[in-house]
Amino acid sequence: MSKLSASGRPTLPVAGEDHARLTIDLSALADNWRAMDRRSGAARTAAVLKADAYGIGLEPAAKTFHQAGARDFFVATPAEGAAVRAVLPDARIYVLSGMWAGAERLFFEYDLVPVIVSEEQLVVFMSAIADGGDIPCVLHVDTGMSRLGLRVEDALALADDIARPASFSPIMLLSHLACADEPSHALNRQQLQRFRSVISAFGDIDATLANSAGIFLGEDYHFTLTRPGIALYGGAAVNGVPNPMKPVVTAEARILQVRDVKASESVGYGAAVVCARDTRVAIAAIGYADGYMRSLSSAGITLRQTGLAGPSGMLHGHPVPIIGRVTMDLTHFDVTDLPAGSVRPGDFIELFGRTMPIEDVARAAGTVDYELLTSLGNRYERRYEALKK
């Protein structure tokens, strides 16, 4: 049985009782940061720690990046920034969602750098420093994504505003590329040119534009600081080319039962699959409650992009396709083609990782590897492979 907490509720997961597990290779994580640092050339290389470090755990990821050489870190919210500060007292931590009224205290208390994303936030920040606050900021400029940031013309006007208080002096300009994963897209060069125009208006100032994919676009996009995210965690940053990053996360699920299904019998909800042959099915303890998405189902689900092959797991070195619908806690895999007796309850099937690339699974689900990683539930036992010395 699972152990009980002081509240009487079970604590999950319990080692040895795990139905699903994540193995996180911290050496691969560090190697990926070093690889992106080399690609960044003369620019400093940050690390993005949003969403619990893309689902792998903020504390071990932050410590690993810091040990590898990172000193600049990006998070989405001030609460995430406070969590990083508890782990890395000497880091420079940037909050991408900026500062809003009522959150000023967090920025001062935890020494966080807000990325100002709008005119309204600019007012909040100016008020905070007018009251005696001493905190740097970064100015986000929207160069073509139409998401966060001041419009280019507004940023240029701000740079030329002689009435701008001397106390407002951003330490860096930031923008975000919309199409960097498509290197030939015309918007990449357009955004680069617009960003350069704003940098020129502000004079001698640091700048950051390149995310993971942007780093692969080359030196023109690197500026002072790059900020890789998905590539650090083993994901594919650029479309249509082999992924050069090392896999960091391996997700596995325990097989609970192996059963024989006769030809003409159906499998799973909706009887969406009727077996054309006698079929051996392994039922694994994994489902959409664990972030293994329903759109990975082999039939009866319309979410997956048409024309893409259904996904497989990897078992004993062989791919085994999903059969039927992914449910909340369980998924069926067709293991008919594996040798008789080779698949047993208690075996673990790899969902993605070292031998089943995460980008392939994400593509089959009609999504991206970012979503797979950040959707990982709390029922996995997380195992961290220590840094190799």
Side-chain angles (χ1 to χ4, degrees):
M1 292 180 62
S2 297
K3 297 177 182 178
L4 298 181
S5 67
S7 66
R9 297 176 180 174
T11 58
L12 297 175
V14 177
E17 298 179 0
D18 50 310
H19 282 183
R21 65 191 184 197
L22 297 176
T23 303
I24 295 128
D25 186 342
L26 297 180
S27 290
L29 190 68
D31 287 346
N32 285 344
W33 184 87
R34 294 187 190 103
M36 297 306 281
D37 187 45
R38 289 192 295 271
R39 287 183 179 272
S40 297
R44 302 195 318 275
T45 306
V48 179
L49 292 170
K50 298 186 299 181
D52 197 29
Y54 286 59
I56 75 165
L58 186 146
E59 181 173 344
K63 289 180 176 178
T64 298
F65 292 136
H66 190 271
Q67 186 170 339
R71 295 296 180 267
D72 298 271
F73 298 86
F74 284 85
V75 297
T77 69
E80 290 180 341
V84 176
R85 177 61 68 209
V87 176
L88 301 177
D90 63 337
R92 176 63 64 88
I93 303 169
Y94 306 90
V95 178
L96 290 164
S97 61
M99 177 186 285
W100 54 92
E104 301 94 335
R105 177 188 58 81
L106 289 171
F107 288 88
F108 292 110
E109 183 175 347
Y110 293 100
D111 189 20
L112 309 177
V113 181
V115 179
I116 303 302
V117 304
S118 67
E119 297 281 2
E120 293 81 4
Q121 285 198 1
L122 187 58
V123 171
V124 172
F125 178 78
M126 297 294 285
S127 176
I129 61 176
D131 290 339
D134 180 17
I135 187 171
C137 78
V138 172
L139 188 64
H140 190 151
V141 181
D142 173 27
T143 56
M145 194 168 185
S146 298
R147 200 171 63 172
L148 296 178
L150 273 64
R151 297 180 68 89
V152 168
E153 55 268 33
D154 294 333
L156 292 173
L158 180 63
D160 292 337
D161 186 0
I162 60 174
R164 175 165 58 104
S167 58
F168 176 70
S169 182
I171 61 171
M172 186 161 59
L173 298 176
L174 177 149
S175 194
H176 193 71
L177 293 162
C179 303
D181 56 349
E182 300 177 38
S184 62
H185 201 290
L187 186 56
N188 292 325
R189 297 300 299 185
Q190 293 172 15
Q191 287 193 257
L192 178 63
Q193 292 165 4
R194 293 166 186 164
F195 194 47
R196 282 175 170 166
S197 71
V198 179
I199 294 171
S200 296
F202 274 87
D204 184 17
I205 189 171
D206 285 352
T208 177
L209 177 64
N211 54 3
S212 290
I215 292 171
F216 286 93
L217 291 176
E219 184 180 357
D220 285 351
Y221 292 82
H222 294 168
F223 293 99
T224 313
L225 179 70
T226 64
R227 47 180 206 278
I230 189 63
L232 302 179
Y233 303 94
V238 182
N239 297 333
V241 298
N243 181 7
M245 312 312 296
K246 293 182 177 181
V248 171
V249 182
T250 298
E252 299 170 289
R254 188 187 295 274
I255 293 173
L256 301 181
Q257 184 182 21
V258 181
R259 64 184 305 136
D260 293 318
V261 180
K262 295 180 179 180
S264 79
E265 291 183 337
S266 63
V267 175
Y269 279 129
V273 171
V274 177
C275 294
R277 61 174 180 171
D278 289 347
T279 303
R280 193 160 64 254
V281 175
I283 299 97
I286 198 74
Y288 53 76
D290 308 293
Y292 199 61
M293 298 175 178
R294 191 169 182 259
S295 58
L296 287 163
S297 303
S298 69
I301 301 297
T302 60
L303 298 177
R304 189 168 61 247
Q305 299 170 12
T306 56
L308 290 174
S312 298
M314 189 68 72
L315 183 61
H316 303 322
H318 298 278
V320 289
I322 290 175
I323 179 171
R325 296 183 181 177
V326 175
T327 66
M328 183 181 292
D329 311 300
L330 301 169
T331 300
H332 300 75
F333 292 88
D334 185 344
V335 298
T336 309
D337 295 331
L338 271 62
S342 65
V343 181
R344 299 176 181 176
D347 290 349
F348 276 85
I349 185 168
E350 181 182 318
L351 309 171
F352 60 81
R354 291 191 174 108
T355 60
M356 180 61 62
I358 187 173
E359 60 267 24
D360 291 351
V361 178
R363 191 178 302 113
T367 186
V368 289
D369 33 17
Y370 300 76
E371 187 175 13
L372 277 183
L373 284 175
T374 58
S375 298
L376 296 171
N378 62 4
R379 298 195 294 191
Y380 294 90
E381 179 187 354
R382 284 166 165 79
R383 302 178 175 188
Y384 292 91
E385 294 185 344
L387 279 166
K388 298 181 179 69
K389 296 185 178 181

